[in-house]
Amino acid sequence: MGRARVSTNESVAGRYRLVEVLHRETNLRCWYADDTRTGRPCLVMESRLPEDPLGELLPHVPDRVLRTTEDVTRLCPGRMATVIEAVAEASCLWTATTWIDGTSLGALLAEQGTFNHVRAARVGLELLDVLDAAHTVGITHGELGPGHVFVRDTGPVVVTGWGLSQATDAPRLTAPAYASPEQARGERIGPATDLWALGALLYTMLEGRPPYRDRGRPEATLKGVDRLPLRTPLRAGPLTRLVQGLLRKDPRERLDLEVAREVLTRIVNEDSASASAAPVPGPRLRDAAVALRGVGREWSRRTMVVGTTLAVMTVAVAVLTATQALPGGDSEPETADTPSPSASSPGAPGAPDATDTPGDAPSAPPSSAAPSPSPSDTDKLPPGFQLYRAPEGFSVALPEGWKRLDTSRAGDVAYRVTFGAEQDPRTLAVTYSERVGPDPVAVWRDDVEPALKRDGDYDRIGEIRATKYQGRRAADMEWTEERNDTRVRTFGRGVVLGAGRGFSLRWTTPADDWDDAESRRALETFLRTFRPAAA
């Protein structure tokens, strides 16, 4: 591998002679060094430490690094480099380890370029093994970046940098571009922090750049991680949904380790199977090639084809199942380093038992009543509407000229269909999921609303209302937000069908047009005529 040779006579702790810089990133340098005491080569990690004017904090950092590394090494032998010594010297932490017969991920990417999705999945699986072992005993790495992951030609990856996290008051010592949003905000960290870093590393392996660029000053980089939208991955293929799920800013919404493992394992296994299998006849191949359509924002009506393989479908099912948000819980496309309009999160079926009283009439938006549809209701459509029967099993009356604009699906587990018309800024989204939680009020409040707030310019209208809809538990939420320089207003209703299944409806229109008679009639017609698939 190419190394950035430097001319140096420096030594650390009077023992380690620094020879070559192997990898650089913010506040971290990896050195090839000679151990003058043993005559053997070693790896020295130079981590720049924050100022400690009183000298009370830094002396304790080396002990923490040694202790944490020993704990993790016992749990996962062969996956950590043995730490020989750790010393705080010249405003830096110097960690000397036995030589690793491998290349740091950062140096490897600089030399070889991006990884294909199978190679990235293999590295990700090996990282998960290490993180899983650490998390079982309550240890969070918290500093994971390309300079702390070493890829070997034979054997699994080796992870360094244990014990640095929370050893000082700094939210992140090394590689701030890989910090999680909760680190950027100085909040408490945990296993979800490492899963964010895993997502960021997968993103970098696939895209050739981190999801958030290094802005030169750690505080500026951390501010970008916290506030800016994710740059949409373009080369991630069947890993797209997983990467986006791991890089959700709210740690509560982030995919967990087991889901990540399942997705990565299936991708690796699919590759192994395809390498050894005979060619599949054309008709069977067409049946297996499922195009998962990642729906863009309902407002812009963009559709992006994310993948066309069976592995993509597996990823989508796992991700949609794990999020426990509403149907079609995709991460939305976003642009680099510029604030984006907030994503339209699907509604959440379910409602608290406290309001589940027989005979409640389903409520429409404020000042409107929407009676439950009877078998004859659809025969009484207002002029200008026609009944649409979706192949998925639901039906709803739509204005003439309206059609399906976008469809996102994951087999029979979840889908989302968005309806609208050209030159009409209004949209209706219908979503379905077989992984619906029991309390829609809590989902609106705890899962959907925080994401809307983070995107900015969001204002909820009134309270989240538990209600009944067609004799089933439901909940409504309304809000306004800024999208593409236009203030829009959205009404969402989610309804539980039972056995974990649920639908939601979301109606979005320019806020200035909300009270137009035509818009009010459209929403009332949707609520009156919508019929879910048979229970």
Side-chain angles (χ1 to χ4, degrees):
M1 99 184 158
R3 291 175 177 162
R5 178 170 290 278
V6 296
S7 175
T8 178
N9 294 316
E10 287 187 70
S11 65
V12 176
R15 175 176 176 178
Y16 308 101
R17 186 173 65 87
L18 305 179
V19 179
E20 301 178 49
V21 175
L22 306 179
H23 175 69
R24 302 172 188 263
E25 58 191 48
T26 304
N27 290 338
L28 174 68
R29 286 195 292 182
C30 303
W31 291 85
Y32 175 90
D34 288 330
D35 184 343
T36 58
R37 186 176 301 175
T38 65
R40 296 175 181 173
C42 62
L43 181 73
V44 173
M45 313 288 286
E46 176 191 0
S47 307
R48 185 161 297 280
L49 297 173
E51 294 183 3
D52 183 25
L54 300 179
E56 297 176 347
L57 182 63
L58 301 189
H60 302 288
V61 176
D63 288 340
R64 178 185 174 90
V65 168
L66 287 169
R67 184 174 60 254
T68 305
T69 303
E70 289 173 359
D71 290 343
V72 180
T73 300
R74 282 195 295 269
L75 295 167
C76 206
R79 308 297 293 275
M80 321 297 159
T82 301
V83 176
I84 305 169
E85 190 173 3
V87 296
E89 188 176 282
S91 299
C92 293
L93 173 70
W94 302 86
T95 307
T97 74
T98 54
W99 177 249
I100 302 173
D101 188 18
T103 307
S104 72
L105 183 58
L108 200 61
L109 289 168
E111 294 172 2
Q112 300 181 7
T114 57
F115 291 7
N116 63 43
H117 66 271
V118 176
R119 187 183 186 191
R122 288 197 174 99
V123 173
L125 275 174
E126 293 171 1
L127 276 172
L128 276 181
D129 288 339
V130 178
L131 295 177
D132 193 11
H135 293 171
T136 57
V137 294
I139 296 175
T140 299
H141 190 291
E143 290 283 336
L144 204 60
H148 286 139
V149 178
F150 285 76
V151 180
R152 298 184 289 179
D153 291 333
T154 58
V157 299
V158 173
V159 181
T160 65
W162 297 95
L164 286 175
S165 178
Q166 297 181 306
T168 71
D169 292 334
R172 175 95 176 195
L173 288 179
T174 63
Y178 294 83
S180 67
E182 58 267 27
Q183 284 177 296
R185 295 190 294 267
E187 297 172 356
R188 184 176 181 179
I189 67 171
T193 302
D194 287 343
L195 291 172
W196 170 281
L198 172 65
L201 289 171
L202 287 169
Y203 186 109
T204 302
M205 286 187 272
L206 296 161
E207 302 294 311
R209 65 183 184 187
Y212 295 91
R213 66 182 177 89
D214 193 310
R215 297 171 176 271
R217 293 180 298 112
E219 58 272 21
T221 303
L222 294 172
K223 184 177 180 180
V225 170
D226 181 32
R227 299 186 179 181
L228 295 176
L230 176 67
R231 294 186 285 190
T232 304
L234 303 176
R235 303 178 180 88
L239 283 172
T240 298
R241 296 297 179 89
L242 174 62
V243 170
Q244 291 175 322
L246 291 171
L247 294 178
R248 291 183 175 176
K249 289 185 183 287
D250 188 337
R252 297 173 302 175
E253 298 175 358
R254 218 164 284 158
L255 298 186
D256 63 27
L257 187 144
E258 290 309 316
V259 171
R261 186 192 302 280
E262 179 182 351
V263 172
L264 294 172
T265 299
R266 287 185 179 275
I267 287 177
V268 171
N269 289 345
E270 289 286 345
D271 179 71
S272 299
S274 63
S276 58
V280 180
R284 288 181 60 193
L285 183 60
R286 284 197 297 271
D287 291 340
V290 181
L292 179 65
R293 305 172 72 84
V295 181
R297 301 188 186 283
E298 296 165 6
W299 190 250
S300 61
R301 305 176 185 175
R302 290 175 295 176
T303 299
M304 176 181 68
V305 177
V306 179
T308 58
T309 65
L310 188 57
V312 175
M313 180 57 68
T314 301
V315 173
V317 171
V319 170
L320 286 169
T321 299
T323 59
Q324 295 184 3
L326 280 144
D330 313 345
S331 295
E332 303 288 354
E334 294 174 338
T335 55
D337 293 345
T338 55
S340 68
S342 66
S344 289
S345 304
D353 290 338
T355 60
D356 185 20
T357 56
D360 288 347
S363 63
S367 76
S368 292
S372 300
S374 66
S376 62
D377 275 343
T378 53
D379 296 330
K380 305 173 184 177
L381 299 181
F385 283 78
Q386 55 190 0
L387 186 64
Y388 174 83
R389 300 184 187 277
E392 291 83 0
F394 69 86
S395 61
V396 65
L398 300 174
E400 290 180 358
W402 276 43
K403 61 183 179 180
R404 295 169 78 118
L405 298 176
D406 292 310
T407 304
S408 175
R409 65 177 70 253
D412 296 326
V413 176
Y415 62 78
R416 177 173 62 188
V417 181
T418 304
F419 298 97
E422 297 299 328
Q423 309 305 317
D424 189 336
R426 306 170 302 164
T427 57
L428 171 70
V430 176
T431 61
Y432 168 80
S433 174
E434 295 184 355
R435 301 293 187 271
V436 171
D439 185 352
V441 173
V443 175
W444 281 119
R445 182 188 64 235
D446 300 334
D447 298 332
V448 177
E449 190 169 46
L452 294 170
K453 287 180 177 178
R454 287 195 302 274
D455 284 339
D457 294 322
Y458 158 83
D459 290 300
R460 171 148 55 86
I461 300 173
E463 298 298 320
I464 301 173
R465 302 177 299 278
T467 186
K468 295 290 289 289
Y469 181 60
Q470 301 178 15
R472 299 181 173 98
R473 296 177 180 178
D476 297 346
M477 187 171 85
E478 293 184 60
W479 67 93
T480 63
E481 59 188 316
E482 199 75 19
R483 295 188 185 178
N484 296 343
D485 299 323
T486 300
R487 196 72 184 171
V488 300
R489 180 167 173 172
T490 297
F491 166 81
R493 170 169 291 178
V495 55
V496 165
L497 302 181
R501 299 178 303 118
F503 273 93
S504 66
L505 303 173
R506 177 171 295 198
W507 167 242
T508 300
T509 182
D512 290 343
D513 299 337
W514 181 257
D515 289 321
D516 286 358
E518 183 180 355
S519 291
R520 303 295 297 181
R521 184 179 64 161
L523 177 54
E524 291 169 2
T525 302
F526 297 148
L527 293 173
R528 178 170 61 84
T529 62
F530 174 76
R531 295 182 183 176

